[in-house]
Amino acid sequence: MTEFVNKQSATGDRSVAQGRSRRRIGAQLAVGLVAGSLVVGAAPQAGQAAPATVTAAAPAASAARQVQAAEAAALRVRTLEVAYSAAAKAKRKTVALTFDDGPSKYTPQVLDILKRNNVKATFCMLGNNVGPYQKTAKRIVREGHRLCNHSRNHPDFTDLSTSSARSQVVWTQKKIKSVTGRSPQVFRFPYGASNSRTRKVVRDQGLRILGWTVDTRDWSRPGTSVIVSRAVGNTRPGGVILMHDGGGNRSQTVAALDKTIKKLKAKGYTFVLA
Ligand SMILES: [Zn+2]
């Protein structure tokens, strides 16, 4: 289990995954905020006003002016939405915590710390670890965290045949569903290593591919304070932090987690699901 983590950052595909991840997060944020401005902004008024002004049996010239006015109002609303979206996207400091390679005996400690801090995270599980840690897998769901499929036993997917890749994904989906009652909606490639063929395999199962933007390299056990400073120092708004709750001795990860959360909160970050 420890040998695979040493390849974690050795993949040339990682930056691709990161770039995609960043763009995706940006896009999600933009959609969310546009929707938000529709609720609180001027859109509902314009939506109501436009049909009302043109249904009256008014003279033709007057009706035309009203149509023009309604169109102008709609344009102003659209312009406002874009402005709100851009401003909020720039200001909103969100970050997502993700834990890979579990569940393991360290996972309950991670869950305790998340609970104390009222933070939800995403757990990228290995199918083979779910059977031995069923209680923990169920607890992850019960406490509101997000499930992520991380393959059955952590192969490099660029070495796999299409059918082997598919069975890694499908077996793990079934295992997680049978134990937790829930199917993951996201998948993270081991080592972040993928190619267009294996990405298609994953997407064909209806799964979204999850990357990361901050690699703490916690698996190399660099010391608790180094893990904290990497996580906090490298996070930007919309960031996705990669940590590990399985795959080896994760006591440093556990020890770093509380301080990482508190420092990010102090910097104004709110935690979201990846
Ligand atoms: Zn992994």
Side-chain angles (χ1 to χ4, degrees), residues 25-43:
I25 290 159
Q28 280 179 344
L29 204 52
V31 169
L33 291 161
V34 167
S37 72
L38 280 170
V39 174
V40 297

Side-chain angles (χ1 to χ4, degrees), residues 4-5 8 99-102 124-126 150-151 154 188-192 212 219 242-244 246-247 250:
F4 64 69
V5 289
Q8 197 86 39
F99 296 93
D100 283 16
D101 304 348
C124 297
M125 297 177 176
L126 293 179
H150 193 41
S151 82
H154 217 277
R188 176 178 273 161
F189 283 99
Y191 319 108
W212 62 83
W219 51 265
L242 171 61
M243 297 177 111
H244 295 80
R250 300 297 175 240

Side-chain angles (χ1 to χ4, degrees), residues 73-84:
L75 182 64
R76 277 197 302 277
V77 168
R78 282 199 298 276
T79 310
L80 252 181
E81 280 167 15
V82 172
Y84 275 140

